[in-house]
Amino acid sequence: MTENADGRRWWHGAVIYQLYVRSWRDSNDDGYGDLRGIIERLDYLSQLGVDAVWLSPTMPSPDDDWGYDVSDYTGVHPELGTLADLDELIEQADQRGMRVLLDLVPNHTSSAHPWFADAASGREAEHRRYYVWADPRPDGGRPNNWLDFTGRPAWQWHDSGQYYLHNFLPGQPDLNWWEPAVHQEFARILEFWFERGVAGFRIDVANGLYKDAELRDNPPLDGDNPLEGVFGMRFVYNSNRPETHGVYRDWRKIAESYSPERLLLGETWVPDAQKLAAYYGDNDELQLGFNFPFALADLDPARLATIVEQTLAALPSGAGPVWMGSNHDLGRFPSRWCGGDERKIRLALLVLATLPGTTVLYYGDEIGMTDVDVPPGLRRDHATLDVEGGADRDRARTPMPWDGSPGSGFTGPGVTPWLPMADPPVSTVADQRDKPESTLSLCRRLLALRRTELGRGLADFENLAVTAGVWTYRTGPLVVAANFTDRPADMPAEAGEILLTTSAEQAPPSPGVLRPWEGVVTRR
Ligand code: GLC
């Protein structure tokens, strides 16, 4: 985990664990996970083999969107703990060789943020220009055709005689990045956390910050790729504006002024490798941008192989990709990719653990946790609660099942967790911890192998073949062969000595044969 003069950085080859704080471990029996709960279970993470954790929003918030509506960028949400708890978490993680990333939300604030309270106090207010205000059209209509992420108009009328823009909820007014003072505020926020030892940020809506200066109408969307647009509208004027890149060039300089260098990991909601690579700039913007085309692809080896190849070809030299299958918005890959089939879940974990670059696991991926069907009456995602066909993001935000005790090891006996536990119960950490054939044990072995064999660099990668559903690739000194079919398949000729198989079966496989949905890591 050291900084290398040869251009290697601590996140190259690292495994980052996305931890949804409210659902991981409740230390004070109020039904919500918290920072002290994380401190209690840090050994679990270091034994799993993760290098860093990314904490879902930890800052004070009215929680219209569970922390993605920030009311104070330099505090800690009182329900999650205190600044002292966060300092201790950073310190305790560091003692175990792990780093801590926070979630930063620069596209919008909460309407409860003092900046917005002031901005809303009148057209001459000091912070008025921190937000995107616009006059009605001459006919009194909204300034343009933009819709928010629920499909409703993105403009909220305000008593001060103008509309304000919210690409998310009305309680999440968009910041105006054309205003220099907003840049200064965020430079200070970055420095505040970097000085406390925060290793970097996952940047929310990273491609969203600037909006078209003329607020032009978005054009219609052809097709149904959610990365191109939603609700029949292409994301042209309300995101991916060229000026946003300047923000990351500035932030990269700040990140590089610390040792070790701090990480900027963007939520880059873009449809292809070229647009993703644009956020890495000339290796002078974000160091990592999430690969949504990969996460949203089907579990189809030809498609995944193509995306991996295109991504590696598009990134600037010296930069690495980042892979994930699950998150708090998309749902869990054990459901989306694998339909709960354990063979597929294990195979997908193998792929995530052996691709070059950085891998992000979402809490529960390591035990093959699937989405939980949360009954409508118990849903807590206000943002999508009343939206027809709403995303139901709660299904991927339910508490971590630690063990079979009352409260599941998440909270105390008799305490109702904020979101329900899986019913019927799923396989818990305690069920899997000591079983060599469990998914958790497999995941530990995969991460250990990754660490020893793929090291801390940017392993070089070569797609060898995708033939009849078997994907073979070389990654550093290893060759991976993965059978994405329901039939046994011949072991590819390029495979060597088997170091690890995803199969949970005890009996050895017939020589030269991959079982259905079996993957192996081999050494030539
Ligand atoms: C990001 C977050 C999502 C949130 C939205 C608005 O997409 O991942 O959970 O609702 O931004 O902040």
Side-chain angles (χ1 to χ4, degrees):
M1 302 248 298
T2 49
E3 202 83 320
N4 292 290
D6 59 2
R8 289 198 205 167
R9 292 292 179 268
W10 63 262
W11 54 88
H12 292 162
V15 175
I16 299 175
Y17 185 95
Q18 181 191 351
L19 195 157
Y20 200 82
V21 180
R22 286 181 181 272
S23 290
W24 209 64
R25 162 81 190 136
D26 172 16
S27 72
N28 61 351
D29 292 349
D30 66 355
Y32 291 99
D34 46 52
L35 297 179
R36 298 221 65 83
I38 304 172
I39 296 172
E40 286 172 10
R41 299 274 158 99
L42 279 173
D43 286 336
Y44 170 79
L45 294 172
S46 67
Q47 283 156 16
L48 180 60
V50 311
D51 301 291
V53 290
W54 145 31
L55 307 181
S56 59
T58 46
M59 297 168 191
S61 164
D63 291 322
D64 282 352
D65 190 10
W66 293 114
Y68 287 105
D69 45 326
V70 177
S71 53
D72 171 7
Y73 285 92
T74 54
V76 168
H77 196 307
E79 283 180 9
L80 305 181
T82 62
L83 208 46
D85 293 331
L86 187 54
D87 288 342
E88 186 180 337
L89 170 56
I90 293 168
E91 166 66 29
Q92 295 265 346
D94 183 62
Q95 284 172 18
R96 292 163 177 81
M98 293 186 291
R99 301 174 194 270
V100 177
L101 306 174
L102 299 186
D103 211 312
L104 182 70
V105 188
N107 181 69
H108 46 267
T109 69
S110 164
S111 53
H113 194 290
W115 298 336
F116 190 77
D118 177 58
S121 70
R123 297 180 69 153
E124 303 309 319
E126 185 193 344
H127 295 90
R128 184 75 172 182
R129 277 189 53 82
Y130 276 34
Y131 296 89
V132 185
W133 298 93
D135 293 330
R137 291 191 185 209
D139 66 1
R142 298 184 181 94
N144 65 25
N145 69 354
W146 299 355
L147 300 175
D148 73 12
F149 86 140
T150 70
R152 302 179 180 113
W155 294 98
Q156 176 70 36
W157 178 251
H158 189 263
D159 304 344
S160 56
Q162 285 186 305
Y163 287 95
Y164 71 84
L165 177 68
H166 57 90
N167 271 308
F168 293 88
L169 299 174
Q172 294 168 297
D174 277 57
L175 283 162
N176 172 23
W177 280 88
W178 293 98
E179 167 57 42
V182 170
H183 294 241
Q184 288 155 19
E185 297 279 8
F186 274 85
R188 281 198 289 269
I189 292 163
L190 256 58
E191 285 163 359
F192 174 85
W193 291 110
F194 290 164
E195 264 145 42
R196 294 195 97 85
V198 165
F201 291 107
R202 176 266 188 184
I203 301 163
D204 191 60
V205 196
N207 55 316
L209 313 191
Y210 271 85
K211 315 290 147 37
D212 179 45
E214 296 167 44
L215 301 175
R216 282 170 278 187
D217 277 353
N218 271 334
L221 173 71
D222 308 318
D224 56 5
N225 182 350
L227 297 171
E228 300 269 12
V230 277
F231 307 114
M233 247 170 234
R234 276 175 75 80
F235 300 131
V236 173
Y237 294 114
N238 61 340
S239 64
N240 294 315
R241 304 306 300 160
E243 297 82 7
T244 301
H245 297 279
V247 177
Y248 298 129
R249 282 192 287 272
D250 292 344
W251 290 9
R252 178 69 171 264
K253 288 189 195 113
I254 299 175
E256 286 182 346
S257 71
Y258 288 82
S259 177
E261 183 176 329
R262 304 305 200 244
L263 173 61
L264 306 171
L265 160 56
E267 185 200 17
T268 37
W269 187 260
V270 293
D272 60 57
Q274 300 306 328
K275 295 200 172 75
L276 173 61
Y279 284 94
Y280 287 70
D282 191 12
N283 206 359
D284 61 353
E285 297 185 27
L286 302 177
Q287 298 104 333
L288 293 176
F290 273 120
N291 198 316
F292 286 96
F294 176 87
L296 290 173
D298 292 336
L299 192 63
D300 164 4
R303 181 78 193 118
L304 296 177
T306 303
I307 295 173
V308 170
E309 200 158 304
Q310 288 173 344
T311 304
L312 293 173
L315 294 185
S317 122
V322 51
W323 313 104
M324 52 87 175
S326 310
N327 77 17
H328 63 293
D329 298 325
L330 305 180
R332 297 179 174 279
F333 80 73
S335 293
R336 206 181 57 258
W337 278 344
C338 310
D341 183 331
E342 207 183 329
R343 299 166 309 166
K344 299 182 186 176
I345 296 169
R346 296 165 71 102
L347 186 71
L349 280 171
L350 173 143
V351 169
L352 286 167
T354 56
L355 288 178
T358 308
T359 285
V360 178
L361 294 178
Y362 187 46
Y363 79 100
D365 280 353
E366 72 276 22
I367 54 169
M369 184 174 177
T370 48
D371 290 343
V372 173
D373 188 13
V374 180
L378 296 180
R379 291 189 189 160
R380 304 293 304 271
D381 180 14
H382 314 295
T384 59
L385 216 46
D386 61 342
V387 182
E388 227 194 282
D392 178 19
R393 302 181 295 183
D394 289 323
R395 70 194 191 286
R397 299 177 179 182
T398 59
M400 181 80 167
W402 292 99
D403 59 40
S405 68
S408 303
F410 165 70
T411 187
V415 178
T416 306
W418 79 294
L419 277 171
M421 308 294 305
D423 182 27
V426 290
S427 175
T428 64
V429 170
D431 293 336
Q432 298 194 26
R433 188 182 295 126
D434 302 320
K435 293 208 179 80
E437 73 285 4
S438 70
T439 300
L440 178 58
S441 299
L442 170 74
C443 190
R444 273 201 220 110
R445 285 198 298 278
L446 278 166
L447 300 193
L449 190 71
R450 174 186 175 91
R451 191 173 286 217
T452 53
E453 298 289 332
L454 302 181
R456 298 247 54 88
L458 283 173
D460 57 336
F461 175 92
E462 187 186 359
N463 266 325
L464 298 173
V466 181
T467 312
V470 177
W471 184 10
T472 315
Y473 54 83
R474 190 177 59 72
T475 182
L478 307 175
V479 171
V480 170
N483 180 7
F484 285 71
T485 76
D486 289 323
R487 303 170 304 277
D490 289 339
M491 185 72 75
E494 295 88 346
E497 174 209 354
I498 297 179
L499 304 181
L500 177 151
T501 168
T502 61
S503 173
E505 289 170 39
Q506 298 297 325
S510 335
V513 173
L514 281 168
R515 296 180 177 94
W517 297 101
E518 180 181 12
V520 291
V521 182
T522 76
R523 196 197 329 263
R524 288 293 296 165

